[in-house]
Amino acid sequence: QVIKCKAAVLWEANKPFSIEEVEVAPPKEHEVRIKIMATGICRSDDHVVTGALVTPFPIILGHEAAGVVESVGKGVTSFKPGDKVIPLFVPQCGECKSCLSTKGNLCSKNDRAIGGGLMPDGTTRFTCKGKAIHHFLGTSTFTEYTVVAESAVAKIDSAAPPEKVCLIGCGFSTGYGAALQTAKVEPGSTCAVFGLGGVGLSVVMGCKAAGASRIIAVDINKDKFAKAKELGATDCINPKDFEKPIHEVLIEMTGQGVDYSFEVIGRTDTMAAALACCQFNYGVSVIVGVPPAAQKITFDPMLLFTGRSWKGSVFGGWKSKDSVPKLVADYMNKKFVLDPLIT
């Protein structure tokens, strides 16, 4: 039956969230209804508020969470009420080209591909004041209950603390995987990380886990440097401290540029700088931050002609259903920490 609960509804861009009573419909075939126990806030949620990421309104945001299965729809065999789970904003259907490829992880059943804000069948499970409310990235976690497709949820260790492992639903996995899965950072290599928010710090952790010998953290907020060093950064630099462009500073610091660079902000100027600061022949630069809507990037093609690689990374390159339970297990086995990312 329908559940009435509280949710943070965003009625329009650039307005505050409104705590409302919403109705959450029961799960349909191959859907799961989840009681959300903990949710993180990711910059991508804020990008919707500011209009940098375009979505239909009204909407329930949130995509980084942990919870417990409340009920399941017809045909669901892999979940039962009471299972502890993490919703997946990048689903894994197991049937599309990306899912079947060893190289890809961006399932074509993701919400960006479906057309934004609805369940795979083209309808919504949320209503408020008689109005249909859109879903966000197939997850919508700023609510006490949500409904997701069976392909967009992973069962995790029942002992895992939800207020910590919710970060594995986006921020941590995205950054950590960008280093380990997308860039495939090697032992002894040099890395530069632009942006030291939760995802950027997770990139630092991934570079360290991969055995990078030098990890240069770049941010215009020097208050973030102590935490970056605690998590593995060897150098911290503030572009505001230099007269010359930051990519030139990094090339001077490293001789010929870094082996791997990561843009973890979502700005075109820092994406261009990250590309330019990596080694001219075999450097790899990874875009991790969500690019702003309707902005184009201009760069000298010679930067790529000499051999550099420019890559993007969604959810750290992890195949979500397969990897999230393993990452939770790694956290439980103390292979990495999450506490420093929680403020």
Side-chain angles (χ1 to χ4, degrees):
Q1 67 215 42
V2 172
I3 288 179
K4 287 187 176 181
C5 68
K6 285 197 169 76
V9 177
L10 192 66
W11 292 99
E12 52 187 304
N14 296 304
K15 289 276 166 72
F17 288 89
S18 176
I19 303 297
E20 306 277 7
E21 184 179 80
V22 297
E23 289 94 46
V24 184
K28 293 190 185 176
E29 198 171 2
H30 295 296
E31 293 177 358
V32 177
R33 188 160 60 182
I34 301 167
K35 180 180 172 56
I36 299 290
M37 295 168 77
T39 183
I41 300 172
C42 180
R43 180 63 72 181
S44 310
D45 300 306
D46 185 60
H47 286 331
V48 176
V49 180
T50 60
L53 189 59
V54 178
T55 64
F57 292 100
I59 191 166
I60 294 173
L61 296 177
H63 61 283
E64 183 180 85
V68 172
V69 173
E70 177 271 336
S71 58
V72 300
K74 218 168 75 183
V76 174
T77 53
S78 47
F79 300 97
K80 61 184 188 307
D83 284 348
K84 194 172 276 185
V85 292
I86 286 179
L88 308 169
F89 74 93
V90 173
Q92 187 182 342
C93 71
E95 295 162 2
C96 71
K97 265 193 163 171
S98 291
C99 283
L100 292 172
S101 164
T102 55
K103 301 179 199 166
N105 77 317
L106 188 53
C107 175
S108 60
K109 294 209 165 58
N110 76 80
D111 184 47
R112 303 288 320 136
I114 293 164
L118 300 168
M119 293 296 283
D121 71 351
T123 62
T124 168
R125 302 291 165 271
F126 298 118
T127 44
C128 178
K129 299 176 178 168
K131 285 197 173 116
I133 308 292
H134 291 90
H135 295 249
F136 181 54
L137 299 181
T139 48
S140 287
T141 64
F142 293 174
T143 168
E144 292 176 302
Y145 288 87
T146 190
V147 177
V148 302
E150 186 180 13
S151 61
V153 61
K155 185 175 167 179
I156 60 165
D157 182 343
S158 61
E163 74 284 359
K164 314 273 196 212
V165 299
C166 63
L167 296 182
I168 291 172
C170 178
F172 172 76
S173 307
T174 295
Y176 192 66
L180 294 174
Q181 296 274 117
T182 308
K184 297 187 166 53
V185 171
E186 294 145 332
S189 57
T190 305
C191 303
V193 181
F194 288 71
L196 300 175
V199 184
L201 291 170
S202 301
V203 174
V204 170
M205 289 159 76
C207 292
K208 186 183 178 184
S213 62
R214 197 168 180 196
I215 302 166
I216 305 167
V218 185
D219 203 297
I220 55 173
N221 179 355
K222 63 180 189 310
D223 297 346
K224 296 184 173 183
F225 292 167
K227 194 164 271 191
K229 287 204 159 146
E230 177 195 331
L231 291 172
T234 54
D235 308 69
C236 293
I237 59 174
N238 184 340
K240 289 181 165 173
D241 294 342
F242 302 92
E243 296 287 308
K244 58 178 70 163
I246 192 64
H247 72 275
E248 291 180 17
V249 174
L250 286 158
I251 288 168
E252 275 177 23
M253 284 174 72
T254 54
Q256 279 198 337
V258 299
D259 299 309
Y260 301 96
S261 67
F262 302 86
E263 198 281 353
V264 207
I265 303 164
R267 289 175 60 102
T268 53
D269 55 345
T270 38
M271 288 171 188
L275 177 67
C277 82
C278 70
Q279 207 275 352
F280 71 93
N281 178 214
Y282 53 77
V284 175
S285 187
V286 183
I287 292 175
V288 189
V290 176
Q295 281 195 23
K296 298 286 181 273
I297 200 163
T298 308
F299 68 101
D300 177 357
M302 187 57 80
L303 287 170
L304 293 179
F305 174 75
T306 55
R308 285 180 182 86
S309 303
W310 211 357
K311 305 178 93 163
S313 180
V314 177
F315 194 57
W318 304 106
K319 286 194 184 283
S320 58
K321 246 182 179 343
D322 295 344
S323 304
V324 163
K326 289 181 189 154
L327 286 164
V328 170
D330 283 350
Y331 169 73
M332 298 297 280
N333 292 325
K334 302 193 165 38
K335 285 205 180 154
F336 54 80
V337 293
L338 291 173
D339 283 38
L341 302 177
I342 300 167
T343 55

